[in-house]
Amino acid sequence: MVRNLKAHGLAGEMAAEFVGTMILILFGCGVVAQVVAAGIGDHDSIAWAWGLGVTLGVYVASRISGAHLNPAVTVALAVFKGFEWRKVAPYALAQTAGAFLAALLVRWNYTEVLNAKDPGLTIKTQGVFSTLPGNGTLPVGDWGAFRDQIIGTAILVLVIFAITDLRNTSPGANLAPVVVGFLVVAIGMAWGTNAGYAINPARDFGPRLASWLTGYDTAWSDQYGFPYWWIPIVAPVLGAVIGGAIYKFFIERYLPAGEPLDAMPAKDFEPAN
């Protein structure tokens, strides 16, 4: 999501992406820790907290950076909406750093219950921080998870493009973050089985790194012992480009001409003077 507003230079945009993504992960990893380690809540509370985390993170960051909060979304905006390619890597770095710090805070705050639930810090509670095929328990392999992440992220980006397109039936700019949050809730409820709906490289890699640095020795592998960390990075980026292409070639080209293309267009930001 992006706004047609001047930002305070790339440093300001990176700061906004950092804090916005941190808010997202504080709610997301926090709720999973509460459910997995303390037994408070269930799958629905996880889906709702992730969706609300997205909404609140967007409200925090959108005026400055556009609140992408997701490197896959940033790449899709660069491919299809004119976002500057030179900003893609800095945005992804800021998003991943925000996710990393948030995960460290969750790990610290839930130290006692995580150690009580899983003294060896194993796959049993790894899912608090990063995703696994079949959520670590179901009979889903790595390629099934790869396929799932492509589909889930394609849905995410396709619908985000629709929500932020003024030529379509878009909500008001102030309500767009709420609708995007509902979108994430829906993805979690419908597409959470095969790979835990990471649909966001920063959301997975930042917390995965934080868990590894704080005692999860198997953080980079799945329950089968295969390297898994790259799948929630590569597959969401591919899915985001596919979702953006579907919207561009099957929806956007048929919308009425002569009206603004985007409610919150991904034009290059001009540093404020």
Side-chain angles (χ1 to χ4, degrees):
M1 298 180 64
V2 285
R3 283 189 182 276
N4 190 20
L5 296 171
K6 289 185 178 180
H8 298 287
L10 181 58
E13 294 165 32
M14 291 177 65
E17 289 294 306
F18 174 85
V19 177
T21 310
M22 183 176 69
I23 293 297
L24 162 61
I25 301 302
L26 285 173
F27 283 97
C29 287
V31 71
V32 181
Q34 181 167 269
V35 172
V36 171
I40 300 172
D42 54 20
H43 174 270
D44 287 354
S45 60
I46 290 174
W48 278 107
W50 274 108
L52 289 169
V54 169
T55 294
L56 298 173
V58 171
Y59 276 127
V60 166
S62 62
R63 190 173 185 90
I64 298 173
S65 70
H68 303 182
L69 312 186
N70 183 338
V73 171
T74 301
V75 169
L77 290 170
V79 172
F80 297 107
K81 298 291 184 178
F83 186 74
E84 277 192 280
W85 277 104
R86 70 178 181 86
K87 294 183 179 181
V88 170
Y91 265 53
L93 178 63
Q95 293 153 359
T96 303
F100 172 77
L101 178 58
L104 283 180
L105 289 171
V106 170
R107 176 73 176 88
W108 179 38
N109 189 59
Y110 282 97
T111 297
E112 295 85 358
V113 291
L114 285 168
N115 289 340
K117 180 72 174 181
D118 182 19
L121 301 178
T122 67
I123 291 289
K124 186 176 181 180
T125 56
Q126 177 63 45
V128 169
F129 301 99
S130 56
T131 58
L132 292 162
N135 293 307
T137 59
L138 299 172
V140 178
D142 287 7
W143 289 111
F146 191 91
R147 174 192 66 225
D148 174 88
Q149 285 301 284
I150 290 176
I151 296 170
T153 314
I155 295 169
L156 175 73
V157 170
L158 191 163
V159 179
I160 285 177
F161 278 17
I163 290 168
T164 58
D165 192 338
L166 271 182
R167 295 193 302 168
N168 211 324
T169 311
S170 60
N174 288 338
L175 284 179
V178 176
V179 180
V180 173
F182 283 142
L183 167 61
V184 173
V185 172
I187 291 172
M189 289 183 171
W191 293 89
T193 296
N194 282 9
Y197 69 105
I199 57 175
N200 182 338
R203 169 266 175 274
D204 193 87
F205 185 80
R208 191 181 295 273
L209 177 60
S211 68
W212 178 68
L213 290 174
T214 58
Y216 284 85
D217 293 335
T218 59
W220 306 109
S221 302
D222 59 21
Q223 64 269 32
Y224 310 112
F226 298 123
Y228 183 78
W229 60 272
W230 63 274
I231 289 177
I233 296 174
V234 175
V237 172
L238 293 175
V241 173
I242 291 170
I246 291 171
Y247 186 78
K248 181 177 180 64
F249 295 111
F250 288 88
I251 302 295
E252 184 181 279
R253 66 187 298 185
Y254 298 112
L255 291 171
E259 297 178 24
L261 279 175
D262 298 292
M264 302 167 75
K267 301 300 183 185
D268 297 339
F269 292 101
E270 299 177 12
N273 294 323

